[in-house]
Amino acid sequence: MGQQILNAIFIGSIYALFAVGYTLVFGVLDILNLAHSAVFMLGAAVTYSLVVNYEQSFWVACIGGILASALMGLVIEHVCLRPLRRRHAPPIAALISPIGLALVIVAAVEQGKPGSLAGWLWKDGANSVAFPPGAIPNPTWHVGDITLEASKVAIIPIAIALMLLLGYVIRYTQVGRGLRAVAENARAARLMGLDVDRMISLTLVISSALGGLAGILFGVALSDISPYIGRDAVEVRGLAIIVLGGMGSVAGAVLGGYLLAMIELLAFVAAGSSARNGIAFAALFLMLVLRPQGLFGTRLRERI
Amino acid sequence: MDFFISLFSDPIGFWSSHSLLIGQIGINGIIATSMFLVLYSGQLSLAAPGFMAIGAYTTVLMSNHWHTPGVLNTVVAALLAGVLGLLVGLPVLRLRGVFLAIATIGFIEALRLGVILNVPFTGEGLGLSNTTGADPLGGINIILLSLIAVVFVIWRLTKGRLGNAWAAIRQDELAALSQGIHVARYKMIAFVMSALIAGYAGALESRLLFNIDPGDAQYGVTRAVQVLTFAVLGGSGFVLGPVVGALIVTLLPYIFGGAGPYINIVAGIFLIAVIIFRPQGIVGRGGLAIVRPSWWPRARVSAPSTE
């Protein structure tokens, strides 16, 4: 049981890190970035590829994975979102264009086989792979009947430190003030001389870098990297988390991530593995019906 | 390209050799119409795959256990989906925009992962064999006739009193309320009708399949996103928009058949390009213009949205 609670905290940290990026984009832009789970997968895939196919050290590969994700954030903004803002498109259009990009990213990794067009990016096609043993420094300790692996334990301080840093940046720095101004009223922010497009690019870069890092940590801790980890592990859960925490609230997303991991653990203990996901989504449904502003949200936004 | 050449050179051969594809296009058209109905009344609901699952499982269970005729099964399935739509709509329709979308995703995933995967008589993860009810070839005519009937009925409705009320609610809910439109009632009518149509489409779809199982691409979020794509790509301001969207998205593997294994990459780029150059949808205002010359008088793109 102790081991299971510990695992729930690891996975909760990954959920939280993923959901923080999701909620940040929603908070600033009022758009659900449905390509976020593809960016999560891309971070893990690039890191794995750098370690195994290009024989880089793990730390270099991590930086490469995060940079690739951040770059993908810029692509999302410049290809999928900015042209639509320029055209005053209906908000629902901005839900669909990132889906197209996610399709491209997943298909590119999926088709990455030796000799194919995307072979430089990924060589294992649709298979699920894991980092080879020894690639990651991973000391293991035993405390009572609990096993502590460094690769998992490290997730918790990394996630918490990054989220505290993000909270500090948003609340106390000039950049953070700019982001909050754009979130509050983009038009007024532009009139005050803020470069709104730049702020939005920055939001997507931060969000995607966090999403990619969450993917790397997921790949390291769960030994499962495939083109589908984004879709299967975090896509819908991410939505559940940002709803639990209140849409657009960074602190809420963090707590929501841990909360969802705990709900899943309780459902698993109470009803077995097959009911786990169903119960998590039933909880999400009830949550939205009973308290749509989330556990920690104060006001309800109604825009897409 | 052979695909499209054969459509014109040998229409009868095309019909018989691609009947399953034509049936799938018809089904997707009907679901797209169900999506249109909720979008037209200003609700971003993604619940359609859930109601499809209800329709499909009801049909297959009835034909397997009671051996009732397919027509009766389909009617019961659609009605059951409608009733469930009412029950789900009661708590959910207080939500708007993206909150409604996420709540309906919660509904379809709770139904798929929580109920269908855990109740013994649905066959759990393996699904149900549908050898008694499946009729992939005979079902096509019914599917296409249903598509025409559903599109016609919805088109007439959007032109009438009901459609005006929906359009008013979509454009400004508060203003509609202040004009004496019973917003909650009209939204519920659209939601229940959409559930009914989705249940009917699910029941029809089960006739194309020899085995139904609770897969993500069938009754899960993947399907929901696909149906939303039909509606947005085709344009949600006119009934035929989502049907055209369904036609194009279903045919993408054939349109870009030359891309081989890279089909999803090409399809994704195509999707982004269409959305960026025609955010109001393929069938929408602005005629056939893709890119306006800079000297052309510009009008703001005003497609219906669920804002």
Side-chain angles (χ1 to χ4, degrees):
Chain A
M1 191 62 203
Q3 186 75 50
Q4 279 176 331
I5 293 176
L6 207 59
N7 282 340
I9 297 175
F10 299 144
I11 198 82
S13 306
I14 294 174
Y15 287 170
L17 212 49
F18 176 81
V20 163
Y22 226 154
T23 210
L24 192 65
V25 172
F26 186 83
V28 174
L29 278 160
D30 281 331
I31 283 171
L32 277 182
N33 171 17
L34 291 175
H36 199 52
S37 55
V39 172
F40 172 91
M41 183 277 292
L42 188 73
V46 168
T47 307
Y48 174 82
S49 200
L50 283 176
V51 168
V52 175
N53 301 337
Y54 292 92
E55 290 163 1
Q56 300 295 319
S57 79
F58 177 68
W59 307 110
V60 175
C62 270
I63 293 170
I66 294 170
L67 281 180
S69 309
L71 202 67
M72 197 44 79
L74 275 185
V75 173
I76 294 173
E77 155 67 359
H78 282 268
V79 174
C80 298
L81 301 180
R82 190 171 292 183
L84 290 175
R85 281 206 305 280
R86 290 268 153 79
R87 283 158 210 267
H88 303 282
I92 196 171
L95 267 180
I96 301 293
S97 55
I99 293 176
L101 189 66
L103 203 61
V104 173
I105 299 172
V106 173
V109 175
E110 197 180 42
Q111 293 303 327
K113 301 183 182 87
S116 78
L117 275 182
W120 54 273
L121 175 68
W122 176 255
K123 285 194 167 47
D124 295 284
N127 299 328
S128 169
V129 292
F131 284 105
I136 309 155
N138 192 11
T140 307
W141 302 280
H142 295 276
V143 179
D145 54 351
I146 298 174
T147 310
L148 295 171
E149 286 173 73
S151 65
K152 290 183 178 173
V153 177
I155 293 172
I156 302 171
I158 292 175
I160 292 177
L162 275 173
M163 292 180 292
L164 285 177
L165 178 70
L166 184 68
Y168 172 81
V169 167
I170 289 181
R171 184 153 297 188
Y172 296 109
T173 63
Q174 196 64 30
V175 173
R177 263 189 284 278
L179 288 181
R180 280 183 290 143
V182 174
E184 197 65 39
N185 187 336
R187 200 184 162 85
R190 180 169 289 133
L191 291 174
M192 295 296 123
L194 268 174
D195 189 342
V196 172
D197 281 345
R198 213 165 127 199
M199 282 298 162
I200 291 175
S201 297
L202 184 70
T203 309
L204 276 147
V205 166
I206 297 174
S207 149
S208 299
L210 289 173
L213 179 65
I216 297 171
L217 294 177
F218 181 91
V220 170
L222 279 87
S223 303
D224 173 20
I225 304 171
S226 82
Y228 312 116
I229 54 172
R231 187 192 68 194
D232 294 342
V234 287
E235 187 175 33
V236 185
R237 289 200 181 97
L239 292 178
I241 293 164
I242 57 180
V243 165
L244 280 175
M247 304 284 283
S249 151
V250 170
V254 176
L255 292 171
Y258 290 109
L259 195 65
L260 184 76
M262 284 299 164
I263 292 175
E264 286 189 339
L265 174 66
L266 288 179
F268 176 72
V269 171
S273 67
S274 66
R276 193 182 74 174
N277 292 327
I279 290 178
F281 290 115
L284 159 72
F285 182 75
L286 285 179
M287 179 76 206
L288 266 173
V289 169
L290 298 176
R291 199 177 152 79
Q293 70 271 45
L295 287 176
F296 314 102
T298 46
R299 77 200 157 107
L300 189 53
R301 291 161 186 263
E302 286 172 355
R303 290 162 56 192
I304 283 182
Chain B
M1 268 302 112
D2 293 347
F3 178 79
F4 291 99
I5 293 168
S6 76
L7 172 59
F8 293 105
S9 62
D10 183 14
I12 297 167
F14 180 86
W15 180 270
S16 49
S17 59
H18 291 287
S19 53
L20 212 55
L21 174 70
I22 297 169
Q24 196 60 54
I25 291 173
I27 297 287
N28 284 345
I30 299 176
I31 310 163
T33 313
S34 137
M35 187 79 202
F36 163 81
L37 205 54
V38 274
L39 286 182
Y40 195 77
S41 57
Q43 310 169 60
L44 187 58
S45 157
L46 298 177
F51 298 124
M52 285 175 65
I54 296 290
Y57 274 90
T58 309
T59 315
V60 174
L61 283 172
M62 281 180 75
S63 84
N64 280 0
H65 289 285
W66 299 334
H67 307 289
T68 40
V71 180
L72 179 69
N73 296 346
T74 310
V75 171
V76 172
L79 288 178
L80 202 64
V83 171
L84 191 73
L86 188 71
L87 294 180
V88 173
L90 281 174
V92 157
L93 289 190
R94 294 185 298 137
L95 302 169
R96 290 188 198 92
V98 82
F99 289 88
L100 179 62
I102 298 175
T104 47
I105 285 178
F107 159 68
I108 60 177
E109 290 292 298
L111 180 71
R112 186 172 74 91
L113 301 170
V115 179
I116 294 178
L117 275 181
N118 291 292
V119 179
F121 65 79
T122 59
E124 299 180 1
L126 288 174
L128 287 173
S129 151
N130 185 30
T131 40
T132 48
D135 181 15
L137 296 177
I140 304 245
N141 294 332
I142 305 170
I143 290 171
L144 293 184
L145 286 177
S146 309
L147 174 64
I148 294 169
V150 167
V151 168
F152 180 76
V153 169
I154 301 299
W155 177 63
R156 288 311 306 162
L157 285 181
T158 57
K159 293 289 162 201
R161 199 181 155 76
L162 208 52
N164 288 341
W166 286 333
I169 293 169
R170 181 188 72 227
Q171 276 153 20
D172 192 335
E173 207 173 303
L174 210 58
L177 198 62
S178 72
Q179 295 298 311
I181 295 172
H182 198 309
V183 171
R185 183 188 298 158
Y186 282 107
K187 277 171 120 176
M188 184 56 99
I189 292 174
F191 192 79
V192 170
M193 282 180 66
S194 146
L196 207 75
I197 296 172
Y200 181 61
L204 284 181
E205 192 180 45
S206 74
R207 305 186 68 161
L208 296 178
L209 307 166
F210 285 101
N211 186 61
I212 57 168
D213 63 83
D216 181 44
Q218 198 68 21
Y219 304 121
V221 178
T222 306
R223 189 66 179 268
V225 167
Q226 193 196 24
V227 178
L228 180 68
T229 311
F230 297 158
V232 176
L233 194 75
S236 51
F238 184 64
V239 199
L240 276 182
V243 179
V244 171
L247 178 75
I248 291 176
V249 174
T250 317
L251 282 180
L252 276 182
Y254 297 89
I255 298 173
F256 297 118
Y262 304 105
I263 171 67
N264 275 346
I265 298 181
V266 180
I269 293 171
F270 172 79
L271 197 61
I272 298 172
V274 172
I275 290 294
I276 284 173
F277 291 116
R278 280 193 73 85
Q280 73 274 43
I282 292 169
V283 181
R285 282 183 212 162
L288 289 173
I290 292 175
V291 186
R292 267 165 225 278
S294 57
W295 43 266
W296 196 266
R298 289 187 83 86
R300 267 181 66 128
V301 172
S302 55
S305 70
T306 55
E307 195 172 19

